Amino acid sequence: MSPTIKPVASDGALPAQADVVVIGGGIVGAAAAYFLAKRGRSVALVEKGVVGGEQSSRNWGWCRQQNRDARELPLAIRSMELWDALAAEIGEDLGFRRCGLVYTTNDAAQIAQWERWRETATQFGVETRMLTGPEASAMTAGTGRNWLGGVHSVTDGKAEPALAAPILALGARQHGATIHQGCAARGLDVTNGTVTGVVTETGTIRTQSVILAGGAWASGFCRHHGVVFPQASIRATSLRTEVAPAWLEAFYTPEIALTRRLDGSYTIAISGKGTLELTPQGIRFARQFMPMFVKRLKAVEFGIGSSFFNGPEALGSWTLDKETPFERIRVLDPAPSQKAIATLLERAHALVPALRAVPVRESWGSYIDSTPDAVPVISPTVGLKGLVLAAGLSGHGFGLGPGAGHLAADFATGDTPIVDPRPFRHARLLDGSQGEVGEF
């Protein structure tokens, strides 16, 4: 089932033209629309389903600098600064709290890896501290566990997946943006290699600047226009409890992760566990993704299902005057894995006995889209002038959302980028210049 999210009303008829059209109403697209509209640009945000309906409402809610790849860390730092300001600017609470994140483990190799990351943290001025075994055990009282050690990322935190993207979209509307849900972007009008409009199922918006923040759908959309974007998605399962006794705000161990929501419930998930489904797109990019799969997916299962024939990674072509795959699947809502739910509950109950008496409120499946090096693409696309791509957030998109949206907006308007954009360039995935697979 889909997680519960804050509803957003749609505006009426499409505008005939806009300075920028943002395709995709997840947190990156909503943030891009917000920052564009704040600058006085006319913006239309088009979403095939509902704002925040896919991965942006299906994640842990973590907003972190801890354990970020060095290429992402400047964007993570700026994103935290943007998160700090959003509630006051928009006038609504997105649930952002710098509550600190606690990591614990009994794996010496994991502790050594966290210790190595402190060198990166020091370079960028990120506040983090290693925990001794007794310190980690004291911070997680209630587990009954004794830990070998851990990390406390003091200034990191969380926000509310049910609220963030919708409130950012509403913030964009406060500055004049229009929001169009149930309005799939079928493709682009292109003249002499330059974008001249966005063709939607309800009409065409004339524009020379488009931000594609389509999540797992981005590669397929690009393919329709001859733009190559290597992208793969992992199917994951998470659940949310009913209101539970207060414990830690955000906790990670290699076995399980728990995040306390605003209403006192908990989101429960497992890092790195999911299903890699065999799809035509996956086969196409398999060679590029193999190093990432080997390095990062410690608990992945392989399978084949309906996604081979339907969904963002299936083959298919379409014309702009007829129904497209984006209309056939309004919200990407895979069924949660019952096996994964059983594992989540077993581990959560073993870790925090107080949760045993707390019912499950909802569970959901999701697709986490990634690039071959696990670093996002936020840049103009190679081969199509006027199209800015902001996708492949690789499981980091929620926390990076404000910064990623800001950077995409910078490209769309020609403003000075919020951070050095070179690590996020699209070209690196095509010309062999991409770096190593991200560590985290």
Side-chain angles (χ1 to χ4, degrees):
M1 62 183 292
S2 297
T4 304
I5 55 175
K6 180 182 178 70
V8 174
S10 291
D11 289 295
L14 290 177
Q17 68 85 36
D19 292 334
V20 186
V21 176
V22 179
I23 300 173
I27 190 163
V28 176
Y34 173 70
F35 291 116
L36 287 164
K38 272 189 68 179
R39 298 174 197 180
R41 301 307 203 277
S42 60
V43 183
L45 175 63
V46 297
E47 162 58 49
K48 63 182 176 59
V50 296
V51 169
E54 296 192 342
Q55 186 58 23
S56 293
S57 61
R58 298 164 188 261
N59 59 80
W60 301 6
W62 285 28
C63 304
R64 63 179 171 89
Q65 303 156 101
Q66 176 73 35
N67 292 341
R68 289 285 187 205
D69 187 276
R71 291 164 289 185
E72 287 185 346
L73 193 49
L75 189 63
I77 292 168
R78 294 304 307 273
S79 292
M80 294 296 285
E81 295 168 358
L82 295 171
W83 276 113
D84 280 330
L86 286 171
E89 289 179 4
I90 299 173
E92 290 200 53
D93 186 4
L94 291 76
F96 178 69
R97 307 286 188 273
R98 285 189 184 251
C99 58
L101 308 178
V102 177
Y103 301 67
T104 66
T105 187
N106 285 315
D107 182 352
Q110 179 75 85
I111 292 174
Q113 188 179 44
W114 291 339
E115 183 69 58
R116 288 194 302 272
W117 188 84
R118 290 186 68 204
E119 298 176 8
T120 302
T122 300
Q123 294 173 26
F124 290 93
V126 175
E127 186 177 359
T128 184
R129 70 184 186 95
M130 298 299 296
L131 300 174
T132 65
E135 287 174 331
S137 300
M139 289 194 73
T140 59
T143 67
R145 296 266 189 101
N146 291 317
W147 302 103
L148 185 61
V151 173
H152 183 206
S153 56
V154 182
T155 58
D156 285 347
K158 61 178 185 176
E160 189 69 21
L163 300 177
I167 289 175
L168 278 164
L170 293 172
R173 177 181 279 152
Q174 291 174 3
H175 293 281
T178 58
I179 302 168
H180 308 276
Q181 298 168 105
C183 180
R186 291 176 166 176
L188 306 174
D189 262 350
V190 178
T191 304
N192 297 325
T194 300
V195 172
T196 54
V198 175
V199 180
T200 80
E201 62 182 290
T202 57
T204 297
I205 308 172
R206 293 295 163 200
T207 187
Q208 293 185 320
S209 186
V210 174
I211 294 174
L212 175 58
W217 298 90
S219 184
F221 189 97
C222 286
R223 186 180 68 247
H224 182 79
H225 292 285
V227 174
V228 177
F229 173 41
Q231 184 181 35
S233 296
I234 302 298
R235 181 172 173 174
T237 292
S238 303
L239 64 83
R240 182 179 184 179
T241 70
E242 293 290 355
V243 175
W247 190 56
L248 286 174
E249 293 296 302
F251 171 75
Y252 169 90
T253 180
E255 295 178 351
I256 199 82
L258 295 93
T259 311
R260 188 166 178 82
R261 306 287 289 262
L262 282 181
D263 69 351
S265 61
Y266 281 91
T267 295
I268 303 177
I270 300 174
S271 177
K273 184 176 179 61
T275 300
L276 177 63
E277 298 178 340
L278 181 64
T279 65
Q281 181 175 293
I283 294 170
R284 180 188 185 193
F285 296 126
R287 185 173 181 179
Q288 286 175 267
F289 274 93
M290 193 55 62
M292 193 271 281
F293 293 152
V294 170
K295 184 171 185 177
R296 299 195 65 182
L297 299 178
K298 309 302 183 185
V300 69
E301 298 177 351
F302 294 86
I304 185 170
S306 61
S307 59
F308 191 94
F309 305 100
N310 298 290
E313 297 193 9
L315 285 180
S317 60
W318 59 89
T319 59
L320 303 188
D321 60 347
K322 294 181 180 179
E323 185 184 63
T324 68
F326 313 114
E327 292 145 89
R328 290 192 284 272
I329 302 180
R330 293 288 181 182
V331 176
L332 194 57
D333 186 25
S337 162
Q338 295 304 309
K339 179 181 177 181
I341 291 172
T343 300
L344 287 167
L345 291 173
E346 178 183 5
R347 293 184 182 183
H349 294 166
L351 181 71
V352 187
L355 291 176
R356 291 173 182 164
V358 180
V360 173
R361 178 185 302 178
E362 55 188 357
S363 60
W364 57 84
S366 64
Y367 283 100
I368 301 169
D369 66 297
S370 182
T371 61
D373 58 4
V375 174
V377 169
I378 311 168
S379 88
T381 54
V382 175
L384 186 52
K385 185 178 180 181
L387 177 63
V388 174
L389 180 59
L393 275 292
S394 304
H396 308 158
F398 186 75
L400 291 178
H406 196 298
L407 181 56
D410 297 338
F411 278 121
T413 58
D415 291 331
T416 302
I418 189 173
V419 295
D420 180 356
R422 286 175 294 179
F424 311 112
R425 66 194 185 283
H426 176 224
R428 77 183 194 274
L429 302 179
L430 308 180
D431 63 14
S433 63
Q434 71 184 54
E436 294 294 317
V437 176
E439 191 72 34
F440 299 97

